[in-house]
Amino acid sequence: MRNTKPSNPSNYQGAVYNIAIQSPLRRCFDYLPPVEHPTLLANGVRVLVSFGRRQVIGIVVGSASQSDLPESKLKAILSAIDEKPLLPKTMMKVLHWAAEYYQHPLGDVYSTALPSRLRTLQKTDKRNLGWQLVKTNDTTEGDLFGKAYRQRALFDIIQTSGPVTASQMADAGFNSATLKGLKDRGLVESVEQPPTPLQPFSALTAQSQHELSLNFQQQAAVDLIRASNNTYQCFVLDGVTGSGKTEVYMRVMEDMLCAGKQCLVLIPEIGLTPQTIDRFRKRFTCPTVALHSGLNDSERLAAWQQAKSGAAGIILGTRSAIFTPMLNPGIIILDEEHDSSFKQQEGFRYSARDLSVMRGREEKISVILGSATPSLESLANCHSKKFQHIALTQRAGEAVPANIQLVDFAEQSLKHGFTDYTLAAINQQLKNGGQVLIFINRRGFAPVVNCASCGWSAECEACNAQFTVHSKPAGLRCHHCGAAQRIPTSCPHCQSRDLTTAGIGTQQVESFLQQQFASTPVIRIDRDSTRRKNSLDEKLNLIKQGDPCLLIGTQMIAKGHHFPGISLVVILDADSGLFSADFRGLEHMAQTIVQVAGRAGREKRRGEVIIQSRHSSHEALIKLSSQPYNEYADYLLETRKATEMPPYSYLAILRAESPDFNNALRFLSTAASQTQRLIRVNSLKVEALGPLPAPMEKRAGRYRLQLLLKTKTRSQLHKLLSQLVPNLELIKLDSKSRWSLDVDPQDLI
Ligand code: ADP
Ligand code: ZN
Ligand code: ZN
């Protein structure tokens, strides 16, 4: 952000600060030094500035000896908020890198990284205001209070014990009128109570107890990670479900904690926080904080400050926790690193996985990416020796790998999604006292309702998508925009009453199994059945009791939960992944199947897995069911290489959305011709495809178009983007339309 341009005499010559301010504009703003601040402001200090008609908090990110603007246009910083930078230098470097890499406004990047309490102007919380005696008045004349005995008493308390907060006064039985009396007499004034400073946690001294002795592979993993002591290295801990990855993390964390260093652990889903925290708390005595979207602003700030001050030894969180500063960072661990929730899909579209690697490098600490089904990106990085691959191929303890069967249903009619073979297998397992998990990645009753006479089907007007039929409560629901309607009793097109549903959803499976296995509890876990607070925990606890039951679940149960009693897993329909429009479709299908299958037989019992498909001879399914995930992943990597898709190429998508198709098209057409010009002028090896309608062309009433950029050399793409994006901001766009750039998109949908 330094100005190196030749000086223009009409522009201001003198010191200015470059301030990052949250705004859609991809630039920083110049401000003159504050009038009443003689000392220099360091980078990273928060300042109060007027911005347009508002006062906002900005961050000093640089300074220069002149500005591009004339003095008349420059305002002075109103005041400095911090004495010292709010974030360590390493964190600032990561944020600046991310703003550049994702071509996202720096002010907005800072705002994503900071707890909201630190970036918005707060009305001081009155209950925490302290009241002290006005200096000049600390001796009192005998008759000052007259008959105001309560005021006299409060005055005496403050005089002897120093500042007292309003809530302390209330606790001591004083009401607000008494305080007001003292204020009116000009005897007391408010002070902000300085928070008590946090101390770094003291290193774990005694080794914590562990009952388990590591198996050979776990020990080798721990040794390898230990050997990277105090340098950056990225490890991919590729361990089948139940191989004891968490045990490996905990041994490494123990080393760190004993050395007084902090551990940052990222997990994909808020639902996994309690069980992970529980495991850490049982094992370690140090303070542990959890950062997740369920915290309110002050809880979030408190957890953040404990991390920053070094008071917390373990910091656990979802995606955005990657921005938590640490005083003594020791290690970053991402569990289930393949999970797409680590990529933010809106606004600042960062990947917490990629940022964790950048951060590890800056902080000179190691990063562990753990998964039973690592992403193809991470595996490719292992092949090219950027990351180090560590395999855990055996289940820890006594658990044995599950046995997988493919069951074809092309030639038979299904009973609400089930083949007779599968139903018989379920029956058998229940008889043997086992629990059965049925995986189906579609909530509701059925994904389609249509007319048997004319073929009409119920579609959401705002989206290019069919309505899903729900039975509890009954209605049509759009899973893309949330629109809801009544289920029609006759076809709006031909008035026929012959309406039928097609396809299967969790609710249908639930009612079918309740009839079929009347004496067995059926537990459904999907977004609809777990909306009520604690309902997920209640259901999980029921399953953990271990009695025979049928568990129906969506994606929600594929992640990380332990179900030791499950002896059979049924994947009801593997085909949607086989023929997905998305280039990651096969990868995601395999990850889901392997993760779900991993829920079977986690303890002594050997697990069974049934995969139902209409295409059981599809190469991808055969490979997946007959070989370890790793070999399957290598097969997928070959196809990605042949089709020049990531990780063998790099993508960015420029998207435009508008209620008016033509507005979105106009924007992207201008963007496309600018792109072509930049590619030509700079002889860049970047392909630009589009503008094209997105696979889902309309969603929530907005048309969606995109321009796909693809290259084999990342630096070429970034050269293009850094020149293109400033121009995009100048293209006129009406207020209802918007555009966004997604670097390394998760999908092209
Ligand atoms: P992952 O995270 O790879 O799925 P976990 O670390 O959760 O695996 O371990 C799975 C189960 O195996 C847990 O119940 C854990 O306590 C147990 N376990 C892990 N390591 C060992 C070991 N070395 N010996 C015996 N049991 C182990
Ligand atoms: Zn009809
Ligand atoms: Zn819709």
Side-chain angles (χ1 to χ4, degrees), residues 403-409 419 421-422 439 568-575 578 589-590 592-594 596-597 608-616 620-626:
N403 175 40
I404 302 183
Q405 298 178 65
L406 287 176
V407 174
D408 199 288
F409 63 86
T419 64
Y421 179 86
T422 307
F439 175 80
L568 169 66
V569 168
V570 177
I571 313 254
L572 216 51
D573 185 355
D575 294 348
L578 282 182
M589 174 199 74
T592 305
I593 290 181
V594 173
V596 175
E608 295 286 332
V609 178
I610 290 178
I611 302 178
Q612 293 195 157
S613 164
R614 202 174 268 120
H615 305 272
S616 63
L621 271 187
I622 292 188
K623 283 189 190 294
L624 183 61
S625 58
S626 61

Side-chain angles (χ1 to χ4, degrees), residues 460 462-463 478 480-483:
C460 173
C463 306
C478 174
H480 302 281
C481 72

Side-chain angles (χ1 to χ4, degrees), residues 317-328:
T318 44
R319 179 178 61 223
S320 64
I322 189 58
F323 299 114
T324 318
M326 291 182 274
L327 182 70
N328 295 310

Side-chain angles (χ1 to χ4, degrees), residues 269-275 435 437 523-526 529-530 534-547 549 551-553 556-566 599:
E269 194 147 304
I270 178 173
L272 297 173
T273 321
Q275 68 174 49
Q435 296 181 326
L437 164 62
I523 302 161
R524 172 166 64 94
I525 295 187
D526 59 23
S529 78
T530 54
N534 297 332
S535 56
L536 177 61
D537 283 341
E538 287 163 16
K539 284 165 191 273
L540 294 176
N541 286 336
L542 202 60
I543 300 160
K544 279 176 193 156
Q545 287 174 7
D547 297 327
C549 69
L551 164 63
I552 302 160
M556 278 183 79
I557 49 94
K559 299 177 186 180
H561 293 290
H562 285 257
F563 301 122
I566 287 181
R599 308 300 126 202

Side-chain angles (χ1 to χ4, degrees), residues 212-215 218 240-247 279 396-397 562 602:
L212 304 173
S213 54
L214 296 183
N215 67 28
Q218 286 173 314
V240 298
T241 319
S243 58
K245 291 182 291 296
T246 314
E247 201 56 42
R279 255 175 113 171
H562 285 257
R602 295 201 109 200

Side-chain angles (χ1 to χ4, degrees), residues 692-733:
L692 288 169
M696 188 168 179
E697 191 182 329
K698 196 177 169 201
R699 184 157 73 193
R702 309 170 73 86
Y703 290 91
R704 308 162 71 239
L705 284 93
Q706 57 193 31
L707 176 68
L708 177 65
L709 306 172
K710 181 174 166 184
T711 179
K712 292 195 80 175
T713 323
R714 206 193 271 283
S715 58
Q716 300 257 313
L717 179 62
H718 277 88
K719 202 163 165 193
L720 169 67
L721 292 178
S722 64
Q723 295 183 57
L724 176 65
V725 172
N727 289 337
L728 297 179
E729 288 183 337
L730 305 176
I731 303 176
K732 281 219 168 68
L733 199 60

Side-chain angles (χ1 to χ4, degrees), residues 54 59 61 120 258 320 396 461 485 510 517 547 643 659 705 745:
R54 296 173 303 144
I59 311 255
V61 293
T120 46
C258 286
S320 64
E461 266 175 36
Q485 278 186 13
E510 181 185 29
F517 301 98
D547 297 327
T643 51
L705 284 93

